[in-house]
Coordinates of all heavy atoms in Angstrom, one line a residue:
M134 N 0.9 -1.2 0.0 CA 0.0 0.0 0.0 C 0.9 1.2 0.0 O 1.9 1.3 0.8 CB -0.9 0.0 1.2 CG -1.9 1.0 1.2 SD -3.3 0.6 2.3 CE -3.0 1.7 3.6
L135 N 0.6 2.2 -0.9 CA 1.4 3.3 -1.1 C 0.6 4.6 -0.9 O -0.6 4.7 -1.3 CB 2.0 3.4 -2.5 CG 2.7 2.2 -3.0 CD1 3.1 2.3 -4.5 CD2 4.0 2.0 -2.2
L136 N 1.2 5.6 -0.4 CA 0.7 7.0 -0.4 C 1.6 7.8 -1.4 O 2.8 7.8 -1.3 CB 0.7 7.6 0.9 CG 0.4 9.1 1.0 CD1 -1.1 9.4 0.7 CD2 0.8 9.8 2.3
I137 N 1.0 8.4 -2.4 CA 1.8 9.3 -3.3 C 1.3 10.7 -3.0 O 0.1 11.0 -3.1 CB 1.6 8.9 -4.7 CG1 2.0 7.5 -4.9 CG2 2.3 9.9 -5.7 CD1 1.7 6.9 -6.3
D138 N 2.2 11.6 -2.6 CA 1.8 12.9 -2.2 C 1.8 13.9 -3.4 O 2.1 13.6 -4.5 CB 2.7 13.4 -1.0 CG 4.1 13.8 -1.4 OD1 4.5 13.8 -2.6 OD2 4.9 14.1 -0.4
H139 N 1.5 15.2 -3.1 CA 1.4 16.2 -4.1 C 2.8 16.6 -4.7 O 2.8 17.2 -5.8 CB 0.7 17.4 -3.5 CG 1.5 18.1 -2.4 ND1 1.6 17.6 -1.2 CD2 2.1 19.3 -2.4 CE1 2.4 18.4 -0.4 NE2 2.7 19.4 -1.1
R140 N 3.8 16.1 -4.2 CA 5.2 16.3 -4.7 C 5.6 15.2 -5.6 O 6.8 15.1 -6.0 CB 6.1 16.7 -3.6 CG 5.8 18.0 -2.9 CD 6.9 18.3 -1.9 NE 6.6 19.5 -1.2 CZ 6.0 19.6 0.0 NH1 5.7 18.5 0.6 NH2 5.7 20.8 0.5
G141 N 4.8 14.1 -5.7 CA 5.2 12.9 -6.4 C 6.0 11.9 -5.7 O 6.6 11.0 -6.2
M142 N 6.1 12.1 -4.3 CA 6.9 11.2 -3.5 C 6.0 10.0 -3.0 O 4.8 10.3 -2.6 CB 7.5 11.9 -2.3 CG 8.5 13.0 -2.7 SD 9.9 12.3 -3.7 CE 10.7 11.4 -2.4
A143 N 6.5 8.8 -3.1 CA 5.8 7.6 -2.6 C 6.2 7.2 -1.2 O 7.4 7.3 -1.0 CB 6.0 6.5 -3.6
F144 N 5.3 6.8 -0.4 CA 5.6 6.4 1.0 C 4.9 5.0 1.1 O 3.8 4.8 0.8 CB 5.0 7.4 2.0 CG 5.5 8.8 1.9 CD1 4.9 9.6 0.9 CD2 6.5 9.2 2.7 CE1 5.4 10.9 0.8 CE2 7.0 10.5 2.5 CZ 6.4 11.4 1.6
S145 N 5.7 4.1 1.7 CA 5.1 2.8 1.9 C 4.2 2.8 3.2 O 4.6 3.4 4.2 CB 6.2 1.7 2.2 OG 5.6 0.5 2.5
L146 N 3.0 2.3 3.1 CA 2.1 2.2 4.2 C 1.9 0.8 4.7 O 1.1 0.5 5.6 CB 0.7 2.8 3.9 CG 0.8 4.3 3.4 CD1 -0.7 4.7 3.0 CD2 1.4 5.2 4.4
D147 N 2.7 -0.1 4.2 CA 2.6 -1.5 4.6 C 2.6 -1.8 6.1 O 1.9 -2.6 6.6 CB 3.6 -2.4 3.9 CG 3.3 -2.6 2.4 OD1 2.2 -2.2 2.0 OD2 4.2 -3.0 1.7
D148 N 3.5 -1.1 6.8 CA 3.6 -1.3 8.2 C 2.5 -0.7 9.0 O 2.4 -0.9 10.2 CB 5.0 -0.8 8.7 CG 5.1 0.7 8.6 OD1 4.4 1.3 7.7 OD2 6.0 1.3 9.2
R149 N 1.6 0.0 8.4 CA 0.4 0.6 9.0 C -0.9 -0.2 8.8 O -1.9 0.2 9.3 CB 0.2 2.0 8.6 CG 1.4 2.9 8.8 CD 1.0 4.3 9.0 NE 2.1 5.1 9.4 CZ 2.3 5.5 10.7 NH1 1.4 5.2 11.6 NH2 3.3 6.3 11.0
I150 N -0.8 -1.3 8.1 CA -2.0 -2.1 7.8 C -2.2 -3.1 8.9 O -1.3 -3.8 9.4 CB -1.8 -2.9 6.5 CG1 -1.7 -1.9 5.3 CG2 -3.0 -3.8 6.3 CD1 -1.3 -2.6 4.0
L151 N -3.4 -3.2 9.4 CA -3.8 -4.2 10.4 C -4.8 -5.2 9.7 O -5.9 -4.8 9.3 CB -4.6 -3.5 11.6 CG -5.1 -4.5 12.6 CD1 -4.0 -5.3 13.2 CD2 -5.9 -3.7 13.7
A152 N -4.2 -6.3 9.3 CA -5.0 -7.3 8.6 C -5.7 -8.3 9.5 O -5.2 -8.8 10.5 CB -4.1 -8.1 7.7
E153 N -7.0 -8.5 9.2 CA -7.8 -9.4 9.9 C -8.4 -10.5 8.9 O -8.1 -10.4 7.7 CB -9.0 -8.7 10.6 CG -8.5 -7.7 11.6 CD -9.6 -6.9 12.2 OE1 -10.8 -7.3 12.2 OE2 -9.3 -5.8 12.8
A154 N -9.1 -11.4 9.4 CA -9.6 -12.5 8.5 C -10.4 -12.0 7.3 O -10.2 -12.5 6.2 CB -10.4 -13.5 9.3
D155 N -11.2 -11.0 7.5 CA -12.1 -10.6 6.4 C -12.0 -9.2 6.0 O -12.7 -8.6 5.2 CB -13.6 -10.9 6.7 CG -14.0 -10.2 8.0 OD1 -13.2 -9.7 8.7 OD2 -15.2 -10.2 8.2
K156 N -11.0 -8.5 6.6 CA -10.8 -7.0 6.2 C -9.4 -6.6 6.7 O -8.7 -7.3 7.4 CB -11.9 -6.2 6.9 CG -11.7 -6.1 8.4 CD -12.8 -5.2 9.0 CE -12.6 -5.2 10.5 NZ -13.6 -4.2 11.1
A157 N -9.0 -5.4 6.2 CA -7.8 -4.8 6.6 C -8.1 -3.3 6.8 O -8.9 -2.7 6.1 CB -6.7 -5.0 5.5
T158 N -7.5 -2.7 7.8 CA -7.6 -1.3 8.1 C -6.3 -0.7 8.3 O -5.3 -1.4 8.5 CB -8.4 -1.1 9.4 OG1 -7.8 -1.8 10.5 CG2 -9.8 -1.7 9.3
F159 N -6.2 0.6 8.2 CA -5.0 1.3 8.4 C -5.3 2.7 9.0 O -6.4 3.2 8.9 CB -4.2 1.5 7.1 CG -4.8 2.4 6.1 CD1 -4.4 3.7 6.0 CD2 -5.8 1.9 5.2 CE1 -5.0 4.5 5.0 CE2 -6.3 2.7 4.3 CZ -5.9 4.0 4.2
N160 N -4.3 3.3 9.6 CA -4.4 4.6 10.2 C -3.1 5.3 9.9 O -2.0 4.8 10.3 CB -4.7 4.5 11.7 CG -4.9 5.8 12.4 OD1 -4.9 6.9 11.7 ND2 -5.3 5.8 13.6
I161 N -3.2 6.5 9.3 CA -2.0 7.3 9.1 C -2.2 8.7 9.6 O -3.2 9.3 9.3 CB -1.5 7.3 7.6 CG1 -2.7 7.8 6.7 CG2 -1.0 6.0 7.2 CD1 -2.3 8.0 5.3
P162 N -1.2 9.2 10.4 CA -1.3 10.6 10.8 C -0.7 11.5 9.6 O 0.5 11.5 9.4 CB -0.4 10.7 12.0 CG 0.6 9.6 11.8 CD -0.1 8.5 11.0
I163 N -1.6 12.2 9.0 CA -1.2 13.0 7.8 C -1.8 14.3 7.9 O -2.9 14.5 8.3 CB -1.5 12.3 6.5 CG1 -1.0 13.0 5.3 CG2 -3.0 12.0 6.4 CD1 -1.1 12.3 4.0
D164 N -1.0 15.3 7.6 CA -1.4 16.7 7.7 C -0.6 17.6 6.8 O 0.5 17.2 6.4 CB -1.4 17.2 9.2 CG -2.3 18.3 9.4 OD1 -3.0 18.8 8.5 OD2 -2.4 18.8 10.6
L165 N -1.0 18.8 6.5 CA -0.3 19.7 5.7 C 0.9 20.3 6.6 O 0.7 20.4 7.8 CB -1.1 20.9 5.3 CG -2.2 20.5 4.2 CD1 -3.1 21.8 4.0 CD2 -1.6 20.1 3.0
G166 N 1.9 20.7 5.9 CA 3.0 21.5 6.6 C 2.5 22.8 7.0 O 1.4 23.3 6.5
A167 N 3.2 23.5 7.9 CA 2.7 24.8 8.5 C 2.5 25.8 7.4 O 1.5 26.6 7.4 CB 3.7 25.3 9.5
A168 N 3.5 25.9 6.4 CA 3.4 26.9 5.4 C 2.1 26.7 4.5 O 1.4 27.6 4.1 CB 4.6 26.9 4.5
D169 N 1.9 25.4 4.1 CA 0.7 25.0 3.3 C -0.6 25.3 4.0 O -1.5 25.8 3.5 CB 0.8 23.6 2.9 CG 1.9 23.3 1.8 OD1 2.3 24.3 1.1 OD2 2.3 22.1 1.7
K170 N -0.6 25.0 5.3 CA -1.8 25.3 6.1 C -2.0 26.8 6.2 O -3.2 27.3 6.0 CB -1.6 24.8 7.6 CG -2.2 23.5 7.9 CD -2.1 23.3 9.4 CE -2.2 21.8 9.7 NZ -2.1 21.5 11.1
A171 N -1.0 27.6 6.5 CA -1.1 29.0 6.5 C -1.6 29.6 5.2 O -2.4 30.6 5.2 CB 0.2 29.7 7.0
A172 N -1.2 29.1 4.1 CA -1.6 29.6 2.8 C -3.0 29.0 2.4 O -3.5 29.5 1.3 CB -0.5 29.1 1.7
G173 N -3.6 28.2 3.2 CA -4.9 27.6 2.8 C -4.9 26.7 1.6 O -5.9 26.6 0.9
K174 N -3.7 26.1 1.4 CA -3.6 25.2 0.2 C -4.4 23.9 0.3 O -4.7 23.4 1.4 CB -2.1 24.8 0.0 CG -1.2 25.8 -0.6 CD 0.1 25.2 -0.9 CE 0.9 26.2 -1.7 NZ 2.2 25.6 -2.1
V175 N -4.8 23.4 -0.8 CA -5.4 22.1 -1.0 C -4.5 21.3 -1.8 O -4.1 21.7 -2.9 CB -6.8 22.2 -1.7 CG1 -7.4 20.9 -1.9 CG2 -7.7 23.1 -0.8
V176 N -4.0 20.2 -1.3 CA -3.0 19.4 -2.1 C -3.6 18.0 -2.3 O -4.2 17.4 -1.5 CB -1.7 19.3 -1.3 CG1 -1.0 20.7 -1.3 CG2 -1.8 18.7 0.0
P177 N -3.3 17.5 -3.6 CA -3.8 16.1 -3.9 C -2.9 15.0 -3.3 O -1.7 15.2 -3.2 CB -3.7 16.1 -5.4 CG -2.6 17.1 -5.8 CD -2.7 18.1 -4.7
Q178 N -3.5 13.9 -3.0 CA -2.9 12.7 -2.5 C -3.5 11.5 -3.2 O -4.7 11.6 -3.5 CB -3.1 12.6 -1.0 CG -2.7 13.8 -0.2 CD -1.3 14.1 0.0 OE1 -0.6 13.2 0.6 NE2 -0.8 15.2 -0.5
I179 N -2.8 10.4 -3.3 CA -3.3 9.2 -3.8 C -2.9 8.0 -2.9 O -1.7 7.9 -2.5 CB -2.7 8.9 -5.3 CG1 -3.2 10.0 -6.2 CG2 -3.2 7.5 -5.8 CD1 -2.6 9.9 -7.6
I180 N -3.8 7.2 -2.6 CA -3.5 5.9 -1.9 C -3.7 4.9 -3.0 O -4.6 4.8 -3.7 CB -4.6 5.6 -0.8 CG1 -4.5 6.7 0.3 CG2 -4.4 4.2 -0.3 CD1 -3.5 6.4 1.4
M181 N -2.6 4.0 -3.1 CA -2.6 2.9 -4.1 C -2.4 1.6 -3.4 O -1.5 1.5 -2.6 CB -1.6 3.2 -5.1 CG -1.5 2.1 -6.2 SD -0.1 2.3 -7.4 CE -0.9 3.6 -8.4
V182 N -3.2 0.6 -3.7 CA -3.0 -0.7 -3.2 C -2.8 -1.7 -4.3 O -3.6 -1.7 -5.3 CB -4.3 -1.2 -2.4 CG1 -4.1 -2.6 -1.8 CG2 -4.5 -0.2 -1.2
I183 N -1.8 -2.5 -4.2 CA -1.4 -3.5 -5.3 C -1.5 -4.8 -4.6 O -0.9 -5.1 -3.5 CB 0.0 -3.3 -5.8 CG1 0.1 -1.8 -6.4 CG2 0.3 -4.3 -6.9 CD1 1.5 -1.5 -6.7
T184 N -2.3 -5.7 -5.2 CA -2.5 -7.1 -4.6 C -2.1 -8.1 -5.6 O -2.3 -7.9 -6.8 CB -3.9 -7.3 -4.1 OG1 -4.8 -7.1 -5.2 CG2 -4.3 -6.3 -3.0
G185 N -1.6 -9.2 -5.2 CA -1.3 -10.3 -6.0 C -0.9 -11.5 -5.2 O -0.9 -11.5 -4.0
P186 N -0.4 -12.6 -5.9 CA -0.1 -13.9 -5.3 C 1.2 -13.9 -4.5 O 1.5 -14.9 -3.8 CB -0.1 -14.8 -6.5 CG 0.3 -14.0 -7.6 CD -0.3 -12.7 -7.4
Q187 N 2.0 -12.9 -4.7 CA 3.3 -12.8 -4.0 C 3.7 -11.4 -3.7 O 3.1 -10.5 -4.2 CB 4.4 -13.5 -4.9 CG 4.6 -12.8 -6.2 CD 5.0 -13.7 -7.3 OE1 4.6 -14.8 -7.4 NE2 6.0 -13.2 -8.1
D188 N 4.7 -11.2 -2.8 CA 5.2 -9.9 -2.5 C 5.9 -9.3 -3.7 O 6.5 -10.0 -4.5 CB 6.1 -9.9 -1.3 CG 5.4 -10.2 0.0 OD1 4.2 -10.0 0.0 OD2 6.1 -10.6 0.9
I189 N 5.9 -8.0 -3.8 CA 6.6 -7.3 -4.9 C 7.8 -6.7 -4.2 O 7.7 -5.8 -3.3 CB 5.7 -6.2 -5.5 CG1 4.5 -6.8 -6.2 CG2 6.6 -5.4 -6.5 CD1 3.5 -5.8 -6.7
Q190 N 9.0 -7.2 -4.5 CA 10.2 -6.7 -3.8 C 10.4 -5.2 -4.1 O 10.9 -4.5 -3.2 CB 11.4 -7.5 -4.2 CG 11.3 -9.0 -3.8 CD 11.0 -9.2 -2.4 OE1 11.7 -8.6 -1.5 NE2 10.0 -10.0 -2.0
A191 N 10.1 -4.7 -5.3 CA 10.3 -3.3 -5.6 C 9.5 -2.4 -4.7 O 9.8 -1.2 -4.5 CB 10.0 -3.1 -7.1
A192 N 8.4 -2.9 -4.2 CA 7.5 -2.1 -3.3 C 7.9 -2.2 -1.8 O 7.3 -1.6 -1.0 CB 6.1 -2.6 -3.5
A193 N 9.0 -2.9 -1.6 CA 9.5 -2.9 -0.2 C 10.6 -1.9 0.0 O 11.8 -2.1 -0.3 CB 10.1 -4.3 0.1
F194 N 10.2 -0.7 0.5 CA 11.1 0.4 0.7 C 10.7 1.1 1.9 O 9.6 1.0 2.4 CB 11.1 1.3 -0.5 CG 9.8 2.0 -0.8 CD1 9.6 3.3 -0.4 CD2 8.8 1.4 -1.4 CE1 8.4 4.0 -0.6 CE2 7.6 2.0 -1.7 CZ 7.4 3.3 -1.2
S195 N 11.7 1.8 2.5 CA 11.4 2.5 3.8 C 11.4 4.0 3.7 O 10.7 4.7 4.4 CB 12.3 2.0 4.9 OG 13.6 2.2 4.5
A196 N 12.3 4.5 2.8 CA 12.5 6.0 2.7 C 11.5 6.5 1.6 O 11.3 5.8 0.6 CB 13.9 6.3 2.4
P197 N 11.0 7.7 1.7 CA 10.2 8.3 0.6 C 11.0 8.2 -0.7 O 12.2 8.4 -0.7 CB 10.0 9.7 1.0 CG 10.2 9.7 2.5 CD 11.2 8.7 2.8
T198 N 10.3 7.8 -1.7 CA 10.9 7.5 -3.1 C 10.1 8.2 -4.1 O 8.8 8.1 -4.1 CB 10.9 6.0 -3.3 OG1 11.6 5.4 -2.2 CG2 11.6 5.6 -4.6
P199 N 10.7 8.8 -5.1 CA 9.9 9.4 -6.2 C 9.1 8.3 -6.9 O 9.6 7.3 -7.3 CB 11.0 10.0 -7.2 CG 12.2 10.2 -6.3 CD 12.1 9.1 -5.3
A200 N 7.8 8.6 -7.0 CA 6.8 7.7 -7.7 C 7.3 7.4 -9.1 O 7.1 6.3 -9.6 CB 5.4 8.2 -7.6
A201 N 7.8 8.4 -9.8 CA 8.3 8.3 -11.1 C 9.4 7.2 -11.3 O 9.5 6.6 -12.4 CB 8.7 9.6 -11.7
L202 N 10.1 6.9 -10.2 CA 11.1 5.9 -10.3 C 10.5 4.6 -9.7 O 10.8 3.5 -10.3 CB 12.3 6.3 -9.4 CG 13.1 7.5 -9.8 CD1 14.2 7.8 -8.8 CD2 13.7 7.3 -11.2
L203 N 9.7 4.6 -8.7 CA 9.2 3.4 -8.0 C 8.2 2.7 -8.9 O 8.3 1.5 -9.0 CB 8.6 3.8 -6.7 CG 7.9 2.7 -5.9 CD1 9.0 1.7 -5.4 CD2 7.1 3.2 -4.8
L204 N 7.2 3.4 -9.4 CA 6.1 2.7 -10.2 C 6.6 1.9 -11.4 O 6.2 0.7 -11.6 CB 5.0 3.7 -10.5 CG 4.3 4.3 -9.3 CD1 3.3 5.3 -9.8 CD2 3.7 3.2 -8.5
P205 N 7.6 2.4 -12.2 CA 8.1 1.6 -13.3 C 8.8 0.3 -12.8 O 8.7 -0.7 -13.4 CB 9.0 2.5 -14.0 CG 8.5 3.9 -13.7 CD 8.0 3.8 -12.3
R206 N 9.5 0.4 -11.6 CA 10.2 -0.8 -11.1 C 9.2 -1.8 -10.6 O 9.4 -3.0 -10.9 CB 11.0 -0.4 -9.9 CG 12.3 0.3 -10.2 CD 13.2 0.4 -9.0 NE 13.5 1.8 -8.9 CZ 13.7 2.5 -7.7 NH1 13.7 1.9 -6.6 NH2 14.0 3.8 -7.7
I207 N 8.1 -1.4 -10.0 CA 7.0 -2.3 -9.6 C 6.4 -3.0 -10.9 O 6.3 -4.2 -10.9 CB 6.0 -1.6 -8.8 CG1 6.5 -1.2 -7.4 CG2 4.7 -2.4 -8.6 CD1 5.6 -0.3 -6.6
L208 N 6.1 -2.2 -11.9 CA 5.5 -2.7 -13.1 C 6.5 -3.7 -13.8 O 6.1 -4.8 -14.2 CB 5.2 -1.6 -14.1 CG 4.4 -2.0 -15.3 CD1 3.2 -2.8 -15.0 CD2 4.1 -0.8 -16.2
D209 N 7.8 -3.4 -13.8 CA 8.8 -4.3 -14.4 C 8.8 -5.6 -13.7 O 8.9 -6.7 -14.3 CB 10.2 -3.7 -14.4 CG 10.3 -2.6 -15.4 OD1 9.5 -2.4 -16.3 OD2 11.3 -1.8 -15.3
E210 N 8.7 -5.6 -12.3 CA 8.8 -6.8 -11.5 C 7.5 -7.6 -11.8 O 7.6 -8.9 -11.9 CB 8.9 -6.5 -10.1 CG 9.1 -7.7 -9.2 CD 9.3 -7.4 -7.8 OE1 9.9 -6.3 -7.4 OE2 9.0 -8.3 -6.9
I211 N 6.4 -7.0 -11.9 CA 5.1 -7.7 -12.1 C 5.2 -8.4 -13.5 O 4.8 -9.5 -13.7 CB 3.9 -6.7 -12.0 CG1 3.7 -6.4 -10.6 CG2 2.7 -7.4 -12.7 CD1 2.6 -5.2 -10.4
D212 N 5.7 -7.6 -14.5 CA 5.8 -8.2 -15.9 C 6.8 -9.4 -15.9 O 6.5 -10.4 -16.5 CB 6.3 -7.1 -16.8 CG 5.3 -6.1 -17.2 OD1 4.1 -6.4 -17.0 OD2 5.6 -5.0 -17.7
A213 N 7.9 -9.3 -15.1 CA 8.9 -10.4 -15.1 C 8.3 -11.6 -14.4 O 8.6 -12.7 -14.8 CB 10.1 -9.9 -14.4
N214 N 7.4 -11.4 -13.4 CA 6.9 -12.6 -12.7 C 5.7 -13.2 -13.5 O 5.3 -14.3 -13.1 CB 6.4 -12.2 -11.3 CG 7.5 -11.9 -10.4 OD1 8.6 -12.5 -10.5 ND2 7.3 -11.0 -9.5
R215 N 5.2 -12.5 -14.4 CA 4.0 -13.0 -15.2 C 2.9 -13.6 -14.3 O 2.3 -14.6 -14.6 CB 4.5 -14.1 -16.2 CG 5.5 -13.6 -17.2 CD 5.9 -14.7 -18.1 NE 6.9 -14.3 -19.0 CZ 6.8 -14.1 -20.3 NH1 5.6 -14.4 -20.8 NH2 7.7 -13.7 -21.0
A216 N 2.7 -12.9 -13.2 CA 1.6 -13.3 -12.3 C 0.5 -12.2 -12.4 O 0.7 -11.1 -13.0 CB 2.1 -13.3 -10.9
E217 N -0.7 -12.6 -11.9 CA -1.9 -11.7 -12.0 C -1.9 -10.8 -10.7 O -1.9 -11.3 -9.6 CB -3.1 -12.6 -12.0 CG -3.3 -13.3 -13.3 CD -3.6 -12.4 -14.5 OE1 -4.3 -11.4 -14.3 OE2 -3.1 -12.7 -15.6
F218 N -1.7 -9.5 -11.0 CA -1.8 -8.5 -9.9 C -2.9 -7.6 -10.3 O -3.3 -7.5 -11.4 CB -0.5 -7.8 -9.8 CG 0.6 -8.5 -9.2 CD1 1.4 -9.4 -9.9 CD2 0.9 -8.4 -7.8 CE1 2.4 -10.1 -9.3 CE2 1.9 -9.1 -7.2 CZ 2.7 -10.0 -8.0
S219 N -3.4 -6.9 -9.3 CA -4.4 -5.8 -9.5 C -4.0 -4.6 -8.6 O -3.3 -4.8 -7.6 CB -5.8 -6.3 -9.2 OG -5.9 -6.6 -7.9
A220 N -4.5 -3.5 -9.1 CA -4.2 -2.2 -8.3 C -5.5 -1.4 -8.3 O -6.3 -1.4 -9.2 CB -3.1 -1.4 -9.0
T221 N -5.6 -0.7 -7.1 CA -6.7 0.2 -6.9 C -6.1 1.5 -6.4 O -5.2 1.4 -5.5 CB -7.7 -0.4 -5.9 OG1 -8.2 -1.6 -6.5 CG2 -8.9 0.6 -5.7
A222 N -6.6 2.6 -6.8 CA -6.1 3.9 -6.3 C -7.3 4.8 -5.9 O -8.4 4.7 -6.6 CB -5.3 4.6 -7.4
K223 N -7.1 5.6 -4.9 CA -8.1 6.5 -4.5 C -7.5 7.9 -4.3 O -6.4 8.0 -3.6 CB -8.7 6.0 -3.1 CG -9.7 6.9 -2.5 CD -11.0 6.9 -3.3 CE -12.0 7.8 -2.7 NZ -13.2 8.0 -3.5
Y224 N -8.0 8.9 -4.9 CA -7.6 10.2 -4.9 C -8.3 10.9 -3.8 O -9.5 10.8 -3.5 CB -7.9 10.9 -6.2 CG -7.8 12.4 -6.2 CD1 -6.6 13.0 -6.5 CD2 -8.9 13.2 -6.0 CE1 -6.4 14.4 -6.5 CE2 -8.8 14.6 -6.1 CZ -7.6 15.2 -6.3 OH -7.4 16.5 -6.3
F225 N -7.6 11.8 -3.0 CA -8.2 12.6 -2.0 C -7.4 13.9 -1.9 O -6.3 14.0 -2.4 CB -8.4 11.9 -0.7 CG -7.1 11.6 0.0 CD1 -6.6 12.4 1.0 CD2 -6.4 10.4 -0.3 CE1 -5.4 12.0 1.7 CE2 -5.2 10.1 0.3 CZ -4.7 10.9 1.3
R226 N -7.9 14.9 -1.2 CA -7.2 16.1 -1.0 C -7.1 16.5 0.5 O -7.9 16.2 1.3 CB -8.0 17.3 -1.7 CG -8.1 17.1 -3.2 CD -8.8 18.2 -3.8 NE -10.2 18.1 -3.3 CZ -11.1 19.0 -3.7 NH1 -10.8 20.0 -4.4 NH2 -12.4 18.9 -3.2
L227 N -5.9 17.1 0.8 CA -5.7 17.6 2.2 C -5.8 19.1 2.1 O -5.4 19.7 1.2 CB -4.3 17.2 2.6 CG -3.9 15.8 3.0 CD1 -2.5 15.7 3.4 CD2 -4.8 15.3 4.1
G228 N -6.4 19.6 3.2 CA -6.4 21.1 3.3 C -7.7 21.7 2.7 O -8.6 20.9 2.4
G229 N -7.7 23.0 2.7 CA -8.9 23.7 2.1 C -9.6 24.5 3.0 O -9.5 24.9 4.1

């Protein structure tokens, strides 16, 4: 599970998922920076979940990573494994 922020940086949310037998939940403390808050900015965010029969090694990262570098690596690994994966993304906005 990834968060992609308004600057195009990807953050792994895998360690925030609480998986149960029939559902999974997560909680992330996310807020605008002080300057963005003061300016009344509204910034786009994307949550992306990729599921499949095995872990994607390219998606195992700890430091924020540019999505423009990360997403092609994930896609290359999926293509190389020739397995069925699916992805879902949800757009939302912070601020306003």
